[in-house]
Amino acid sequence: MVKIRPFDEQTQTEQPKRRLRSLDLPGENGDITALLRQAAGAQRLAEERLLADLGVTPPQLAALTLIGANPGLLAADLARKAKLTPQTVSLIVANLRRAGLVREEDGAFSAASRARPLALTPEGEKILRLGRERTESASARLTEGIRPKREKALRRWLAAIAAGLPLPGAALDADDL
């Protein structure tokens, strides 16, 4: 097999080999944002498989978790807490309601407002409990073998990214690593 080297016609000289950008490299040498996306995608796929027989998706389980922790939560508040658009949350809540996992409460609300407080049904509480057990065990597998200090640093770094801090790495202490 003959290797073809880049050639510059104007100078009639070989061009030096172009170094691969970090985006081109796989694994731990890859671009950090690409690695985060890949890791999140792999974890989401694992969660989807764990929850499939329960009939809920990871975003639906997240909604059940927030509603379970905050009975009477409005869909608009759910959207803000989950960092999702109101349209996405509306679709998620409609699907959960149709499945009999969420109901609208007869709480104190303005007659002019269409917003209704949300609550879990008994079936929703059961699915939430089963789903959380499964996803918590999958989450625990992610941190197996990591020293507690490093796990704490990893959690702090990921929380800083999620919070939108401009320098998430600044949240780490030198002794965390």
Side-chain angles (χ1 to χ4, degrees):
M1 177 180 204
V2 176
K3 285 190 176 183
I4 300 175
R5 301 188 114 188
F7 192 75
D8 184 341
E9 290 181 34
Q10 288 181 347
T11 63
Q12 302 285 319
T13 61
E14 286 186 16
Q15 293 176 345
K17 264 190 162 177
R18 195 180 67 133
R19 285 185 44 205
L20 290 176
R21 296 183 343 224
S22 61
L23 286 175
D24 300 330
L25 298 173
E28 65 186 45
N29 295 321
D31 177 68
I32 194 74
T33 56
L35 289 170
L36 279 169
R37 263 193 307 278
Q38 290 171 351
Q43 183 61 19
R44 181 173 173 148
L45 180 60
E47 287 180 10
E48 285 173 355
R49 290 177 176 157
L50 287 171
L51 300 172
D53 67 314
L54 297 178
V56 294
T57 64
Q60 289 172 334
L61 183 66
L64 290 173
T65 300
L66 286 169
I67 295 167
N70 306 283
L73 190 67
L74 299 177
D77 296 326
L78 177 58
R80 276 190 288 282
K81 286 179 181 282
K83 296 186 180 186
L84 296 171
T85 65
Q87 295 85 352
T88 299
V89 168
S90 177
L91 183 61
I92 289 171
V93 169
N95 287 335
L96 291 173
R97 222 181 3 245
R98 198 173 11 264
L101 304 177
V102 169
R103 63 179 169 77
E104 292 179 344
E105 288 187 319
D106 295 328
F109 57 89
S110 163
S113 172
R114 294 185 304 154
R116 303 282 192 273
L118 299 169
L120 298 180
T121 64
E123 182 65 14
E125 290 174 4
K126 175 184 167 189
I127 295 297
L128 173 59
R129 182 180 45 76
L130 293 171
R132 296 270 322 230
E133 287 172 3
R134 293 177 185 189
T135 58
E136 285 172 7
S137 68
S139 182
R141 282 194 301 274
L142 287 174
T143 57
E144 277 181 20
I146 296 178
R147 293 192 315 246
K149 271 188 160 182
R150 286 197 173 173
E151 180 183 340
K152 184 177 179 182
L154 176 62
R155 289 175 182 276
R156 192 174 24 235
W157 181 69
L158 291 169
I161 291 171
L165 295 182
L167 298 171
L172 300 177
D173 296 328
D175 63 325
D176 286 335
L177 308 172

